[in-house]
Amino acid sequence: MKVFKFGGASISSVERIQNVGNILQSYKEEKIFIIISAMGKTTNALEKVAEAFYQGKKEEALQLFHQVKESHLNIVKYLITLNWLQTENQLKDFFTEVEWLLHDKPVRDFDYYYDQIICCGELLSTVIVSNYLNEISFKNKWLDVRDIFRTDDNFRDATIDWNYTQQKINDAIIPLFEENNIIITQGFIGATNENESTTLGREGSDYSAAVFANMLDAESQTIWKDVEGVMNADPKQFADTQFIKALSYAEVIEMAFYGAQVIHPKTIKPLQNKNIPLHVRCFLKPQLTGTVISNKPVHGLPPIIVIKEKQVLMQLSAKDFSFVEEKPIGYLHELFDSVKIRPNLSQNTAISVFCCFDDWSEKIEKLALAASELFDVQIEKGLTLLTIRHYNEEIVNELTANKIELLSQKTKETIQVLMKEV
């Protein structure tokens, strides 16, 4: 049995959904468990819905959600003929879930509402793809992953209850393969024991697929993307990227830790634990073999470049000039845990700590306010964090030219530079 994950770009149009059917033609006699992301830019659109709702702009939220509804109904109109009414009715059930919430007023934290709204994207896309595949004689079973993945209530970054989830997979999924070659469900989402929707962190669909691969003892996991495999940098940012044919689990974990977007940071461990190879392949050119990620060490890799925009530098200086390595630093780490935020880069001096974070405004404000009880806090926004694995001086100089360096750290393998425009 294989696990496939199709990302948002691979199902962003009628033609690309039809292409999924074409890819599956090569696997007609195999058991395939399929994870599907939200279509195209749907998650971004739903984020705007959540923000408008939380700001009390009900009519704007409803109008933005109406656009999401229409885009999905329009796909159905041009894609599905026989099952269109069934498909629309299923979609409308999920539309109603969100609209009930949007007619209410926010009384809980933003992250809770974010998850209740954003999870709709994956539910809509999987309903459409499942019905389309049934229509072209690819019999499949659709599942709501919220009935399978039990999580805690750490909204926007929920943790899976592995024991409960494994039992649900054993009881509810494995028997389905006796009558179905294809099972389709959602990535990125789960639910608490109170049936509240949760998400597993941005780009968490890869992780969802890895959890299923682990628990189903899959022979492999394949992520279908719009590139030929793993590249040494984001091709949207660099014109001369290099294709990497093979990588080790350890290397990919390092890449993901520093923010490389090709693989979600939590994806590798469930695969590594059972030595399940991960393939990254191109849905536009399925004849290509792509990149394989396994436990085999790989040598002679090119410089691997990760750029994270919208970074925040927080400088925390002890008010009483005490050494930060004493009690203040311990208090600071407790704050990170309570706010649920992790520095991308940190550096200490005798009386100050410098931390670089992704610019999650609400969490940054909460952290700064709490830290101000013990520290003088200064914040600088609009920064860029550059990370290069297997660096050389030439590439470092090229990528930091005409930039002001605010922080830098390096080891034998990796250099990180926090910088801003001159």
Side-chain angles (χ1 to χ4, degrees):
M1 192 270 294
K2 294 180 170 71
V3 172
F4 283 180
K5 181 259 177 169
F6 289 95
S10 66
I11 54 160
S12 60
S13 66
V14 168
E15 293 75 21
R16 289 194 171 178
I17 293 172
Q18 291 168 334
N19 184 56
V20 170
N22 295 335
I23 290 172
L24 293 177
Q25 290 286 350
S26 301
Y27 303 91
K28 264 196 164 179
E29 303 306 316
E30 299 191 51
K31 304 289 187 184
I32 309 290
F33 190 88
I34 300 177
I35 301 288
I36 296 176
S37 299
M39 289 183 181
K41 302 296 183 182
T42 300
T43 299
N44 292 337
L46 289 170
E47 285 177 341
K48 292 179 181 178
V49 173
E51 289 163 4
F53 165 76
Y54 199 71
Q55 292 165 7
K57 302 174 183 176
K58 183 178 82 170
E59 294 307 319
E60 180 181 334
L62 287 166
Q63 178 57 37
L64 289 168
F65 188 62
H66 179 75
Q67 294 171 16
V68 173
K69 289 167 55 177
E70 288 301 303
S71 67
H72 285 80
L73 291 171
N74 199 49
I75 290 278
V76 172
K77 184 190 303 181
Y78 290 101
L79 182 70
I80 297 172
T81 305
L82 300 176
N83 298 331
W84 70 269
L85 185 58
Q86 173 187 311
T87 307
E88 283 198 4
N89 287 336
Q90 287 180 271
L91 295 181
K92 286 174 181 176
D93 286 342
F94 295 124
F95 295 158
T96 301
E97 266 191 47
V98 175
E99 287 171 331
W100 277 350
L101 184 148
L102 297 181
H103 281 287
D104 210 343
K105 289 186 178 180
V107 293
R108 297 177 62 169
D109 288 346
F110 175 75
D111 288 354
Y112 167 77
Y113 294 106
Y114 179 98
D115 281 6
Q116 309 319 300
I117 294 169
I118 263 58
C119 73
C120 179
E122 274 71 13
L123 295 163
L124 300 178
S125 64
T126 51
V127 163
I128 292 173
V129 175
S130 174
N131 278 286
Y132 169 69
L133 291 177
N134 276 323
E135 183 152 301
I136 62 169
S137 301
F138 272 108
K139 181 186 174 187
N140 70 89
K141 180 67 176 176
W142 178 92
L143 293 175
D144 187 333
V145 76
R146 295 176 299 179
D147 296 329
I148 308 297
F149 273 13
R150 171 66 55 81
T151 75
D152 62 13
D153 61 357
N154 182 19
F155 298 103
R156 290 188 78 178
D157 195 17
T159 298
I160 292 172
D161 179 335
W162 279 71
N163 291 331
Y164 178 94
T165 301
Q166 179 71 73
Q167 193 60 51
K168 289 292 289 186
I169 287 173
N170 293 346
D171 295 343
I173 292 182
I174 291 175
L176 292 175
F177 276 113
E178 293 176 10
E179 296 184 3
N180 302 273
N181 278 357
I182 298 175
I183 296 174
I184 293 178
T185 196
Q186 306 78 37
F188 181 50
I189 62 178
T192 69
N193 57 12
E194 300 292 329
N195 288 324
E196 295 172 322
S197 299
T198 56
T199 62
L200 308 179
R202 195 67 194 269
E203 308 299 335
S205 292
D206 292 350
Y207 177 56
S208 297
V211 172
F212 276 115
N214 176 291
M215 294 187 178
L216 290 166
D217 290 317
E219 66 178 82
S220 66
Q221 175 181 332
T222 301
I223 297 175
W224 294 92
K225 300 180 71 70
D226 57 358
V227 291
E228 61 180 294
V230 177
M231 316 299 284
N232 74 316
D234 186 344
K236 295 173 184 173
Q237 295 175 312
F238 295 91
D240 55 349
T241 54
Q242 298 178 50
F243 166 69
I244 302 174
K245 185 177 181 180
L247 286 165
S248 67
Y249 293 131
E251 182 64 43
V252 174
I253 288 171
E254 291 281 356
M255 292 169 63
F257 175 80
Y258 291 115
Q261 291 298 304
V262 70
I263 307 293
H264 188 273
K266 296 183 288 188
T267 297
I268 297 302
K269 193 61 180 170
L271 303 175
Q272 186 180 28
N273 286 351
K274 290 193 173 178
N275 198 22
I276 299 169
L278 172 62
H279 300 269
V280 181
R281 297 179 61 186
C282 182
F283 63 79
L284 298 171
K285 299 177 181 178
Q287 71 276 13
L288 300 178
T289 56
T291 301
V292 62
I293 299 162
S294 68
N295 65 354
K296 297 177 183 176
V298 179
H299 304 287
L301 290 169
I304 295 172
I305 304 163
V306 180
I307 291 181
K308 298 191 78 171
E309 307 282 359
K310 297 182 180 178
Q311 298 294 290
V312 176
L313 176 62
M314 187 177 292
Q315 179 180 346
L316 305 116
S317 303
K319 289 182 177 180
D320 60 359
F321 296 101
S322 62
F323 292 109
V324 295
E325 287 294 348
E326 297 171 358
K327 286 185 179 180
I329 199 71
Y331 171 71
L332 193 56
H333 283 287
E334 289 176 6
L335 285 183
F336 294 162
D337 288 340
S338 66
V339 177
K340 297 181 175 64
I341 195 169
R342 180 181 70 84
N344 296 322
L345 177 67
S346 61
Q347 204 167 91
N348 297 2
T349 68
I351 59 171
S352 296
V353 182
F354 296 86
C355 296
C356 165
F357 302 98
D358 293 332
D359 190 0
W360 287 18
S361 295
E362 186 183 4
K363 292 189 176 185
I364 294 295
E365 289 173 14
K366 191 180 292 187
L367 176 63
L369 182 62
S372 64
E373 294 181 11
L374 197 62
F375 298 93
D376 287 322
V377 180
Q378 297 181 46
I379 292 175
E380 186 171 0
K381 295 192 172 189
L383 309 178
T384 299
L385 179 61
L386 167 69
T387 304
I388 311 174
R389 294 269 300 158
H390 316 294
Y391 65 92
N392 56 56
E393 291 304 316
E394 181 182 356
I395 194 74
V396 173
N397 292 336
E398 177 186 338
L399 295 178
T400 59
N402 302 316
K403 302 288 192 302
I404 297 173
E405 296 185 23
L406 303 175
L407 284 181
S408 66
Q409 287 183 1
K410 68 178 177 179
T411 65
K412 182 180 177 182
E413 291 284 356
T414 306
I415 186 169
Q416 289 190 285
V417 181
L418 184 65
M419 56 195 187
K420 65 179 181 180
E421 299 294 332
V422 175

